[in-house]
C-alpha cells in the first residue's frame, strides 16, 4: 500500500500561484456595516475622500487618519443597497477599530455595526481569477467592471446573501466575496479556484505580490510614518483640509522631504529593520521592512530615504544580517508586470 504525503506549500509556491493562476484566501479583518440616511455624513467625518460622488454598487479605497494626521487605516468602502460597508486593508484589531469609530459623532439617522453577526469575506486573485468569479454570477463576468459590486450566489446555500466585488490587492485580477454565510462562501470560493488550477495561499506569498504591486502597506502597516513620508498623499483629497479627522495636521509632500522607497537587493540577502542605508558611506535612510523572499529573482526592501535619494536607479548599500555590506538599488513600482494586463476576461 502506497501512502501519499502532502508536500507543504512554500511562500514561493503561493507567490507563483497568484502570479500565474489564482490564489484564494480568507479575509480576517473586521467588517463594518453603516446604515441610515445620515451615513455619508458619518463617513465624511473620517474618510480622506468625500462620499459626494460615490456610486451605488461600487467599492473604493479610502484612507482614515488619526486626530494627529497620522494614518489610521486604509479601508475599502462598499456601497451595497441601502448600506455602506467598510473593510480594513491594513492591519488593525477589532478593538482599535471600535475605539476609533466610538470617537465619531453618530447622532442622526445612522447605525454602525462592527462585525455584523454572520458576515464574513473571502478573496481570490490572479490572472485566472475571473474564471472562478464566473461561477458566482449569472451574467458574463466581464460585465463586472473594476470597482463594481453585484449580487451573488453561494452554490451550496441558496438562502445565503452574497455580494461579489471586483477589487484586489495584487495588480492581478481580483475579486472579493462578502456573505452572511461566510463558511459556505469560502468553501465555494476554494472549490471554484481549485477547479481552475489555483490554490489556497498564505500571507507571505500574497504579501510579496502586494509589495511588488506597490502596496507593501497592506502587510507591513504604516511603520509610524506620516502621510507624506509613507507616500500616501495620493489618497488625500487636499481640497477637504479641515473637513475630516486629522486633516488639519497634514503636510503636503515636497521634493525636499524623505519618502518611503522600494529597493532591490540580491536574492538571499536579508536586512533588519532599522538598518542604515548609505550612499558613498554616508547615511541617507533607514530600512523599515523587507518583503517575504518569495520571488527568486531578487529581494524587495522598503526604506525611508532622504531626498533626493528616493529617485529610481540609484546604487546604495546597507549591512545585511550576516554583517556584510550588500548593494541596494532604488526601483519603481509596480516591480513585476502583472500577467492580468495581457490576459483577457473571456
Amino acid at each position: 500500500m502506497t501512502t501519499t504525503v502532502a508536500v507543504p506549500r512554500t511562500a514561493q509556491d503561493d507567490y507563483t500561484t497568484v502570479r500565474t493562476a489564482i490564489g484564494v484566501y480568507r479575509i480576517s479583518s473586521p467588517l463594518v456595516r453603516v446604515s441610515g440616511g445620515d451615513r455619508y455624513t458619518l463617513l465624511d467625518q473620517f474618510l480622506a475622500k468625500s462620499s459626494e460622488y460615490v456610486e451605488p454598487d461600487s467599492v473604493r479605497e479610502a484612507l482614515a487618519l488619526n486626530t494627529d494626521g497620522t494614518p489610521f487605516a486604509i479601508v475599502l468602502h462598499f456601497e451595497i443597497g441601502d448600506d455602506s460597508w467598510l473593510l480594513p486593508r491594513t492591519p488593525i484589531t477589532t478593538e482599535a477599530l471600535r475605539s476609533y469609530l466610538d470617537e465619531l459623532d453618530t447622532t442622526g439617522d445612522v447605525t454602525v455595526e462592527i462585525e455584523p453577526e454572520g458576515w464574513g469575506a473571502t478573496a481570490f486573485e490572479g490572472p485566472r481569477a475571473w474564471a472562478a468569479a464566473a461561477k458566482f454570477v449569472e451574467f458574463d463576468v466581464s460585465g463586472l467592471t473594476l470597482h463594481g459590486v453585484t449580487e451573488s450566489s453561494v452554490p451550496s446555500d441558496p438562502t445565503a446573501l452574497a455580494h461579489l466585488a471586483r477589487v484586489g490587492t495584487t495588480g492581478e485580477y481580483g475579486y472579493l466575496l462578502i456573505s452572511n454565510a461566510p463558511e459556505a462562501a469560502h468553501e465555494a470560493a476554494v472549490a471554484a479556484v481549485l477547479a481552475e488550477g489555483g490554490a489556497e495561499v498564505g500571507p507571505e506569498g500574497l504579501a510579496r505580490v502586494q509589495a511588488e504591486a506597490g502596496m507593501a502597506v497592506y502587510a507591513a502597516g504604516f511603520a509610524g510614518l506620516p502621510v507624506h513620508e509613507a507616500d500616501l498623499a495620493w489618497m488625500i483629497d487636499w481640497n477637504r483640509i479641515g473637513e475630516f479627522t486629522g486633516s488639519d495636521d497634514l503636510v503636503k509632500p515636497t521634493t525636499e522631504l524623505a519618502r518611503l522607497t522600494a529597493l532591490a537587493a540580491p536574492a538571499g540577502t536579508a536586512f533588519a529593520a532599522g538598518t542604515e542605508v548609505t550612499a558613498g558611506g554616508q547615511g541617507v535612510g533607514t530600512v523599515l521592512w523587507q518583503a517575504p523572499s518569495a520571488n527568486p529573482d531578487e529581494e524587495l526592501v522598503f526604506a525611508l530615504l532622504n531626498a533626493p535619494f528616493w529617485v529610481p536607479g540609484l546604487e546604495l548599500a546597507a549591512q545585511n544580517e550576516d554583517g556584510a555590506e550588500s548593494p541596494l538599488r532604488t526601483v519603481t513600482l509596480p516591480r513585476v508586470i502583472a500577467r492580468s494586463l495581457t490576459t483577457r476576461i473571456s
Side-chain angles (χ1 to χ4, degrees), residues 146-345:
L146 184 62
H147 298 145
V149 182
T150 185
E151 287 188 10
S152 176
S153 62
V154 178
S156 62
D157 189 347
T159 65
L161 300 177
H163 305 278
L164 183 69
R166 186 177 161 194
V167 63
T169 66
T170 61
E172 303 286 356
Y173 289 128
Y175 297 85
L176 196 148
L177 185 64
I178 299 175
S179 177
N180 68 346
E183 290 302 322
H186 179 73
E187 291 173 4
V190 170
V193 166
L194 292 177
E196 296 297 331
E200 291 188 78
V201 297
E204 288 195 349
L206 181 65
R208 178 57 187 247
V209 187
Q210 292 169 339
E212 291 177 346
M215 293 309 296
V217 67
Y218 289 152
F222 302 110
L225 299 180
V227 167
H228 60 282
E229 290 184 352
D231 202 20
L232 293 172
W234 60 275
M235 298 193 73
I236 300 291
D237 182 351
W238 293 95
N239 293 320
R240 296 182 61 234
I241 297 303
E243 297 182 22
F244 57 94
T245 298
S247 61
D248 287 332
D249 292 309
L250 287 172
V251 175
K252 286 189 176 183
T254 69
T255 56
E256 289 78 35
L257 297 175
R259 183 180 302 175
L260 183 67
T261 309
L263 304 102
T269 53
F271 304 87
T275 299
E276 184 180 51
V277 179
T278 61
Q282 300 297 312
V284 298
T286 305
V287 172
L288 298 180
W289 184 70
Q290 181 169 346
S293 301
N295 184 336
D297 295 335
E298 65 184 14
E299 303 297 337
L300 193 59
V301 178
F302 291 83
L304 181 65
L305 297 183
N306 298 332
F309 295 95
W310 37 255
V311 298
L314 292 186
E315 300 295 333
L316 306 175
Q319 187 179 77
N320 63 39
E321 290 186 345
D322 293 331
E325 184 174 85
S326 291
L328 291 166
R329 184 178 72 261
T330 55
V331 295
T332 58
L333 297 174
R335 186 66 184 143
V336 173
I337 297 175
R339 186 172 295 192
S340 298
L341 294 175
T342 57
T343 301
R344 292 185 60 185
I345 298 177

Side-chain angles (χ1 to χ4, degrees), residues 32-114:
V32 179
R33 180 166 56 194
V34 185
S35 54
D38 294 325
R39 67 183 190 277
Y40 295 131
T41 301
L42 175 69
L43 296 177
D44 284 344
Q45 286 184 47
F46 67 97
L47 294 184
K49 294 178 182 177
S50 171
S51 299
E52 183 176 1
Y53 300 110
V54 171
E55 296 288 335
D57 300 320
S58 68
V59 57
R60 63 174 183 161
E61 200 167 57
L63 179 64
L65 305 178
N66 294 304
T67 54
D68 62 358
T70 57
F72 170 72
I74 294 174
V75 299
L76 286 178
H77 166 201
F78 303 83
E79 280 301 307
I80 301 174
D82 294 328
D83 297 325
S84 299
W85 290 81
L86 304 175
L87 181 65
R89 285 290 214 194
T90 45
I92 195 74
T93 65
T94 301
E95 292 72 21
L97 185 61
R98 180 173 286 108
S99 296
Y100 183 88
L101 296 175
D102 283 347
E103 294 298 317
L104 302 175
D105 180 4
T106 56
T107 57
D109 180 20
V110 61
T111 301
V112 178
E113 300 170 82
I114 300 176

Side-chain angles (χ1 to χ4, degrees), residues 116-146:
E117 184 176 359
W119 286 87
T122 292
F124 45 99
E125 305 191 43
R128 291 280 301 167
W130 60 268
K135 297 176 171 61
F136 293 92
V137 295
E138 296 179 353
F139 54 86
D140 184 342
V141 73
S142 65
L144 181 59
T145 57
L146 184 62

